[in-house]
Amino acid sequence: MSNAPVVDIDMAAFWQDPYPVLKKLRAEAPIAHVPQLGGVVFTRRDDISVCEKQIEYFSSHQPQGLMNVLMGHNLMRKDGEAHQAERNALFPAVSPKTVKTVWTGQFQGFADAILDELVPQGAADLVKAYALPLSGEALKAITGLTQIGYEDMDAWSQAMIDGIANYIGDPEVEKRCHAATAAIDAAIDEQVPVLKKKPDHSVLSVLMQSGMAMESVRANVKLSISGGQNEPRDAIAGTIWALLTHPDQLELVLSGKVSWRQVFEEYARWISPIGMSPRRMAKRYEVHGITLEPDDKVFFMFGSANRDEAHFERPEEFDLTRNVTGSVPFGAGPHFCAGAFASRALVAEVALPSIFARLKKLRLDPAEPVRIGGWAFRGILNLPCSWDT
């Protein structure tokens, strides 16, 4: 077991707002063993950036990890050649070229259809009415599971996200996760003959065309759903909220002084939808006088790295003019998020410019407070807004 200093945390408070604890850890114990998580957290950006790339020590292969047990052995839990082979098989579905020529136009069609219904309503919770269905429809297309409802996609994603972050072992959370993965398997079975007859650019179709074993195809489709729904959903809703609560920053983008891409990148730094990535120690390793032993569990805290005072001035502030070069919203090593291109296109090229163009004088409803939560995955839970019809 690691000799890292032991730091206890209040998990309920950490879920509500992890940033005060992470700030304290960066200053006082940047590498610390947290009993409530059963592992060692890395909180400084430079330590994470260096160690994440050393896969011979900090391994993603975690045979008994929650993701493997609950979702199957996907590319995120493989290293080296095994990881790269599956990543290469997936690439045609999410490459910059495919995103530009296939998916972005479909994303815009989904956004336009949702907004056509929203415009005359004048008020709605934009998590449920915009961010959730838009992310869900986009993910249905990308995964190839077009026969399901976006509500199912969102529910399955959330159940898996909750399951793989269930470090306290809540049996009800595990039960919901198993139900979700069983439903995904059934949906895959339904679409396999359809996509064999008429292949397309979707993840399911591309992976089947690559000759990948069906067990791995299933695991990687589940991986695509687990991250491909909640992260863009949370980024869309969260960025709308950030802009509405920072009118000076909103004016910068509406006046053309900063781009929607800059808005997306700064939000992903400020409130990282992906707050953490787990690793397993494959070999003994020493860093800053701390020894990590084989099979120790390690958490790279991206949400902390993106607020590291050594890289960002006034990191708690949402500032669209900031240089975000040092930010790691999608990771920094060989496990850099494969869906990053699609996520940027959906959020920055479609979701944000479309809603601010279509919903006139968009504003928050002052009668209902916005709620936010999470540390491994963090996002807005509700976004009550109104606009002129």
Side-chain angles (χ1 to χ4, degrees):
M1 182 177 174
S2 162
N3 66 344
V6 176
V7 178
D8 288 295
I9 65 173
D10 180 331
M11 288 301 296
F14 197 59
W15 187 90
Q16 291 289 339
D17 185 0
Y19 291 114
V21 170
L22 294 172
K23 181 177 182 179
K24 186 175 182 180
L25 287 174
R26 286 195 302 273
E28 300 176 5
I31 301 175
H33 177 76
V34 178
Q36 290 76 15
L37 300 178
V40 177
V41 299
F42 279 58
T43 57
R44 287 183 180 171
R45 193 266 180 198
D46 288 343
D47 291 336
I48 292 171
S49 181
V50 169
C51 293
E52 188 184 12
K53 298 179 179 70
Q54 299 185 61
I55 60 173
E56 68 275 22
Y57 294 100
F58 298 86
S59 176
S60 291
H61 180 54
Q62 302 165 40
Q64 301 306 314
L66 286 172
M67 181 176 280
N68 273 15
V69 171
L70 296 171
M71 292 168 50
H73 198 181
N74 59 59
L75 66 88
M76 280 296 291
R77 292 297 175 261
K78 296 181 181 181
D79 288 319
E81 292 182 4
H83 168 81
Q84 195 59 50
E86 294 194 4
R87 193 180 185 93
N88 290 344
L90 177 68
F91 185 72
V94 292
S95 70
K97 180 180 179 181
T98 303
V99 170
K100 181 178 181 180
T101 61
V102 177
W103 302 130
T104 302
Q106 294 189 40
F107 295 166
Q108 189 64 62
F110 298 142
D112 290 344
I114 294 167
L115 287 167
D116 284 346
E117 293 189 3
L118 272 180
V119 168
Q121 293 180 21
D125 178 345
L126 292 181
V127 172
K128 294 180 179 179
Y130 186 64
L132 187 158
L134 179 53
S135 294
E137 293 294 346
L139 192 56
K140 284 169 54 181
I142 290 176
T143 59
L145 303 182
T146 53
Q147 82 278 27
I148 67 169
Y150 70 79
E151 302 94 340
D152 292 325
M153 188 65 78
D154 190 76
W156 295 345
S157 174
Q158 194 62 55
M160 288 191 292
I161 287 299
D162 292 343
I164 64 177
N166 184 28
Y167 294 104
I168 63 174
D170 186 328
E172 286 301 315
V173 172
E174 183 176 344
K175 181 179 178 181
R176 287 195 297 272
C177 186
H178 284 307
T181 57
I184 294 169
D185 282 332
I188 290 172
D189 289 341
E190 188 177 356
Q191 284 297 91
V192 164
V194 175
L195 293 172
K196 281 185 176 179
K197 185 176 181 179
K198 190 176 181 181
D200 61 19
H201 289 87
S202 69
V203 169
L204 178 55
S205 182
V206 164
L207 293 183
M208 289 195 302
Q209 292 173 63
S210 75
M212 182 181 292
M214 202 62 201
E215 180 182 14
S216 294
V217 171
R218 293 179 187 279
N220 283 306
V221 170
K222 291 168 189 171
L223 171 66
S224 300
I225 294 172
S226 69
Q229 170 67 6
N230 72 304
E231 291 156 18
R233 177 199 67 200
D234 293 347
I236 292 167
T239 309
I240 294 169
W241 168 74
L243 290 170
L244 293 179
T245 53
H246 296 80
D248 57 328
Q249 301 298 302
L250 176 58
E251 178 57 31
L252 287 176
V253 65
L254 294 181
S255 65
K257 293 179 182 178
V258 300
S259 68
W260 288 108
R261 173 69 177 270
Q262 286 173 274
V263 177
F264 171 77
E265 299 294 348
E266 169 61 359
Y267 180 79
R269 179 209 66 82
W270 185 53
I271 297 180
S272 306
I274 310 171
M276 175 278 292
S277 183
R279 296 293 189 272
R280 176 186 61 85
M281 296 308 300
K283 301 178 183 178
R284 196 169 188 266
Y285 186 84
E286 293 189 12
V287 54
H288 304 319
I290 292 171
T291 302
L292 300 167
E293 301 290 352
D295 289 327
D296 278 350
K297 186 185 296 182
V298 168
F299 298 93
F300 291 139
M301 307 299 284
F302 294 153
S304 178
N306 291 333
R307 291 199 180 193
D308 191 332
E309 297 81 359
H311 286 269
F312 307 103
E313 293 184 8
R314 308 178 313 280
E316 291 88 359
E317 295 182 14
F318 178 65
D319 180 4
L320 298 181
T321 65
R322 181 192 308 278
N323 182 348
V324 295
T325 303
S327 180
V328 286
F330 294 104
H335 287 274
F336 177 84
C337 178
F341 300 113
S343 182
R344 286 188 172 109
L346 177 60
V347 180
E349 296 180 30
V350 174
L352 296 177
S354 296
I355 196 167
F356 280 97
R358 295 287 303 278
L359 301 188
K360 303 303 181 184
K361 295 185 179 179
L362 182 61
R363 53 199 179 269
L364 291 171
D365 181 351
E368 184 179 352
V370 171
R371 293 172 288 113
I372 182 170
W375 63 273
F377 303 93
R378 186 162 180 81
I380 296 292
L381 304 176
N382 68 317
L383 188 61
C385 289
S386 59
W387 53 91
D388 291 353
T389 59

